[in-house]
Amino acid sequence: AHSAEGAVRLTTASTFADLRPGYLELVDTLPEEEAGCGLADDNKFAFLLRTPALSAVNDEELVLEFMGGGACWDFYSCTLKSAGWSGGERTELWISENLAMIPLVQATLPVEGCTIPIGGGEMWNWCDARHPYKRWTSIVVPYCTGDIHLGNTTTTYVNASKTAKVRHRGAVNARVVLRWVKRVFPNLKRIIVAGGSAGGFAALLWSAHVADMYPEARVAAFSDSAMHFPGPSNVSSASMTQLQASWNFLNPLTDVVWSSAWTSQAILAQGFPIYRGMLQDLVPHFGGRLTVGILTSLDDPAALMFWQLLGGTPADWKPAVVEELHGLEQSLSPVVLRTFILAASAHHITSMGGLDMHTTKAQGVDLTSWMKALVKCDEPTASARVWVPSIGSRATYTGNMTLKCTEPVLNIPGPVQRAGDGRPAPTPAGSSANAALMRLPWPTLCITMLAALLCA
């Protein structure tokens, strides 16, 4: 069922037959126990779906993106407030409401239906012909639970006589979306599980679940600006213990049943290197079918802020990140572990985080070309692992992985054709390039962007 015709629809689509190409939609899922946002008192959740303007819906290629937007783990971080939308207040260190709903309730100016006007930057502007995934179907999973999309508990935080209850149910929301994806798109062949900041860490884990769900598909995890827990370090070890107590991120919904690394015995152990320990276990399991791409800046101000909030010393963060990255590069083949490492005051780079995704380039490699290649089996090391020389260089791969990677045979729909001349049809007024999606008031957009940049 759809609320209205046009480029943007509020829909309860539950089958592939419900979808049409060239639409940007807010998919309203059925109420599910414990789903929803951190401060909400209902079980409602909705996510964004974008289908490219092709002759049919692309049911073989999907970008599944987990939104970023801060985190909270104690009374202070969960309750700190600042000026919010429409003159009210909002949580300062995490986004506690579903931003996907805002274009429908605070609309003022029309924009093209192939963009999401809530601070998504280049990654959410499919109007741009340069977009590396322009012809892919895309889903954006909103983030409003403060638990990097992994929690499964309700926690009451206490400060003297004050209390604050937060529903950390990110894993519940993620599972709601994954079940919908599997039902509506059962035959996906190429999948990119993406995310920036908080969503970037989530992408690393959920990509393994997606690869299990689609045993014949090529899957890539694309993690943008998510190096918040480098290790081994006392900060990361203490953080994992605290976050488990607050979020219950090690739970049946996030459990990778065959993994020896995604367990409380490993993750909560003193000295466990989070990224190396997890990826060195998850990635080889798929024999070359799962690729991980890590994009980050070694001068990331938000990651450094998060590190300090968790008790870290600023001078220790960058060396710890380099140690993690070099350890991954040494142990995992360039076929399955790609890196793009920058030196800029930038965070969530694909989301207006200080750099332009389309013009960012290093060592002769365009960032968008690197992004496109994440689902390719073969990529020369020089373009698979890119480091700005001023901050270091890639490590030499010393492992001996057995890989079996094959490119899927695709049958992607072509563009809509004009009758009689074989050329792509223009987008009519009122359709996917112009219409119902509305832009936030500029002050609201600025506040939203600030929240997005204070990500974890």
Side-chain angles (χ1 to χ4, degrees):
H2 305 287
S3 61
E5 294 293 325
V8 183
R9 306 181 296 174
L10 177 61
T11 177
T12 54
S14 60
T15 68
F16 184 76
D18 293 329
L19 307 182
R20 284 180 281 175
Y23 276 78
L24 181 61
E25 309 188 66
L26 185 62
V27 180
D28 188 8
T29 64
L30 296 175
E32 179 161 335
E33 186 177 0
E34 303 299 348
C37 292
L39 301 182
D41 57 2
D42 55 39
N43 297 320
K44 296 180 180 179
F45 189 68
F47 60 91
L48 288 155
L49 168 70
R50 180 259 175 179
T51 53
L54 303 175
S55 59
V57 174
N58 186 347
D59 64 346
E60 295 187 348
E61 296 175 304
L62 175 71
V63 176
L64 177 64
E65 181 180 0
F66 289 89
M67 188 185 288
C72 84
W73 56 91
D74 57 21
F75 185 88
Y76 171 80
S77 58
C78 290
T79 61
L80 185 65
K81 300 288 181 65
S82 64
W85 10 90
S86 302
E89 287 187 325
R90 68 164 188 84
T91 47
E92 174 73 21
L93 296 178
W94 62 296
I95 297 174
S96 56
E97 61 184 290
N98 189 337
L99 296 185
M101 300 298 293
I102 290 178
L104 298 177
V105 298
Q106 293 191 337
T108 57
L109 299 175
V111 294
E112 292 178 295
C114 47
T115 64
I116 303 176
I118 54 173
E122 296 87 9
M123 192 67 171
W124 293 352
N125 181 14
W126 299 279
C127 305
D128 195 321
R130 300 172 297 171
H131 197 295
Y133 312 124
K134 183 176 178 66
R135 296 184 63 182
W136 292 51
T137 297
S138 295
I139 285 175
V140 178
V141 183
Y143 176 48
C144 55
T145 52
D147 56 10
I148 60 177
H149 297 276
L150 300 178
N152 187 16
T153 193
T154 297
T155 301
T156 299
Y157 298 101
V158 180
N159 180 27
S161 61
K162 298 179 180 179
T163 61
K165 185 173 76 171
V166 180
R167 298 166 74 240
H168 294 295
R169 301 290 179 175
V172 179
N173 295 341
R175 280 295 182 186
V176 167
V177 177
L178 289 179
R179 283 195 294 271
W180 187 94
V181 169
K182 184 62 176 177
R183 181 175 67 251
V184 176
F185 295 99
N187 301 312
L188 291 169
K189 295 181 179 179
R190 300 205 300 186
I191 309 166
I192 293 177
V193 184
S197 197
F201 190 89
L204 296 176
L205 179 72
W206 288 116
S207 65
H209 287 280
V210 170
D212 275 336
M213 287 169 54
Y214 291 91
E216 303 300 321
R218 285 278 296 131
V219 179
F222 174 30
S223 178
D224 175 358
S225 305
M227 299 297 295
H228 299 82
F229 308 106
S233 70
N234 292 334
V235 176
S236 294
S237 295
S239 297
M240 291 300 105
T241 300
Q242 181 174 14
L243 298 181
Q244 174 62 11
S246 298
W247 301 343
N248 186 31
F249 66 86
L250 294 163
N251 62 72
L253 297 181
T254 62
D255 182 39
V256 182
V257 294
W258 45 262
S259 172
S260 60
W262 190 255
T263 65
S264 58
Q265 292 83 0
I267 295 289
L268 303 182
Q270 184 72 22
F272 184 75
I274 303 300
Y275 300 90
R276 278 173 286 173
M278 183 168 65
L279 295 179
Q280 287 170 354
D281 180 61
L282 298 181
V283 174
H285 176 82
F286 297 99
R289 195 168 57 81
L290 172 63
T291 296
V292 172
I294 296 175
L295 165 66
T296 197
S297 171
L298 292 185
D299 292 308
D300 182 335
L304 185 58
M305 178 195 73
F306 190 70
W307 174 259
Q308 290 177 272
L309 285 172
L310 289 170
T313 302
D316 294 337
W317 178 75
K318 187 183 295 187
V321 173
V322 171
E323 182 180 349
E324 283 273 31
L325 293 171
H326 279 169
L328 286 168
E329 290 178 331
Q330 289 167 352
S331 60
L332 297 175
S333 164
V335 172
V336 294
L337 191 282
R338 319 281 177 87
T339 51
F340 204 103
I341 313 303
L342 301 171
S345 183
H347 179 71
H348 204 159
I349 294 159
T350 56
S351 181
M352 296 175 64
L355 296 174
D356 186 327
M357 180 178 89
H358 297 296
T359 59
T360 296
K361 187 174 184 176
Q363 295 288 83
V365 179
D366 295 321
L367 174 58
T368 51
S369 297
W370 179 88
M371 291 166 62
K372 287 180 182 178
L374 289 177
V375 288
K376 295 181 179 178
C377 290
D378 298 312
E379 184 73 3
T381 301
S383 53
R385 295 180 172 176
V386 180
W387 287 60
V388 171
S390 63
I391 47 91
S393 59
R394 63 180 178 266
T396 301
Y397 170 56
T398 58
N400 185 27
M401 298 183 67
T402 300
L403 300 174
K404 182 181 180 182
C405 181
T406 58
E407 300 284 359
V409 178
L410 302 173
N411 184 28
I412 307 303
V416 178
Q417 300 293 311
R418 282 180 177 160
D421 66 3
R423 291 182 293 169
T427 305
S431 69
S432 63
N434 304 282
L437 187 60
M438 313 297 267
R439 186 182 297 275
L440 295 175
W442 180 245
T444 300
L445 181 58
C446 290
I447 293 169
T448 304
M449 277 304 303
L450 178 60
L453 293 176
L454 289 175
C455 290

